[in-house]
Amino acid sequence: MSFFDRIKSKIFGSAHAETPATEAAPQAGTGPAATPASTSLGGTAAPAGQATAPSPQITAPASGAPGTSEVVSPATAGTSSPVASTPGASSLPASAPAGAVDVAAILDGKAKGAGQTLNWRHSIVDLLKLLDLDSSLSARQELAKELGYTGDHNDSAAMNTWLHRQVMTKLAANGGMVPAELRD
């Protein structure tokens, strides 16, 4: 596990770290519950003047974006016009995290119970201490190398400032809500 992944895991928790979203793929037309025995996918026409009972709804894969589906009646199965969207389909943009983590709230909570004053908002050393991770110069140099720091690794003040902003920016990019003044 990379150094940044350890930071992310400490903040987001193991449930949020690197778990891909999985959705059950709809399976129209399979199993006994897919269609009633008296109805075929083509539907039946009612005699003129008689009201028809509502058609059973079948969830079929959408022709649009992956992971979305459309609800179609048997009479319209195979056509391209959707009847309604599935309640599980999200209208959020793809870049929006499913359950954004409030990084500041989590770290503020940890800081209250730390037993010492740790300024995680401005110090990478204090942030690492708060997360109970190695905050030594060699550990920070390892993190700097991992994140692509091109400056002098022996200029710890400049490297620490850069590291803190990069970690906050990467946390935000990975689903964390981080105050704008802490990010690049």
Side-chain angles (χ1 to χ4, degrees):
M1 178 182 283
S2 73
F3 200 114
F4 177 75
D5 285 340
R6 290 189 302 239
I7 293 169
K8 188 170 68 169
S9 178
K10 291 279 189 166
I11 295 171
F12 293 168
S14 59
H16 187 279
E18 300 297 323
T19 55
T22 57
E23 293 184 25
Q27 296 178 348
T30 61
T35 57
S38 62
T39 307
S40 68
L41 281 178
T44 57
Q50 290 185 359
T52 59
S55 298
Q57 301 295 302
I58 300 174
T59 303
S63 58
T68 61
S69 60
E70 300 169 348
V71 177
V72 295
S73 68
T76 60
T79 65
S80 62
S81 60
V83 173
S85 293
T86 311
S90 173
S91 61
L92 295 175
S95 62
V101 175
D102 190 345
V103 173
I106 290 170
L107 294 175
D108 284 341
K110 286 182 176 285
K112 285 180 183 175
Q116 60 180 317
T117 303
L118 295 172
N119 186 4
W120 69 265
R121 289 179 182 265
H122 298 98
S123 169
I124 188 70
V125 173
D126 285 357
L127 173 64
L128 295 174
K129 284 181 181 180
L130 184 62
L131 297 174
D132 198 27
L133 293 170
D134 185 1
S135 62
S136 68
L137 177 60
S138 61
R140 287 178 280 128
Q141 288 171 333
E142 175 188 337
L143 180 59
K145 183 177 179 183
E146 178 183 321
L147 297 180
Y149 182 62
T150 58
D152 182 2
H153 286 250
N154 293 316
D155 182 359
S156 64
M159 183 180 70
N160 288 348
T161 301
W162 184 88
L163 271 176
H164 189 272
R165 293 194 71 76
Q166 286 300 303
V167 166
M168 291 295 135
T169 300
K170 283 188 66 85
L171 287 171
N174 281 276
M177 293 185 306
V178 178
E181 67 271 10
L182 301 180
R183 296 179 276 143
D184 278 338

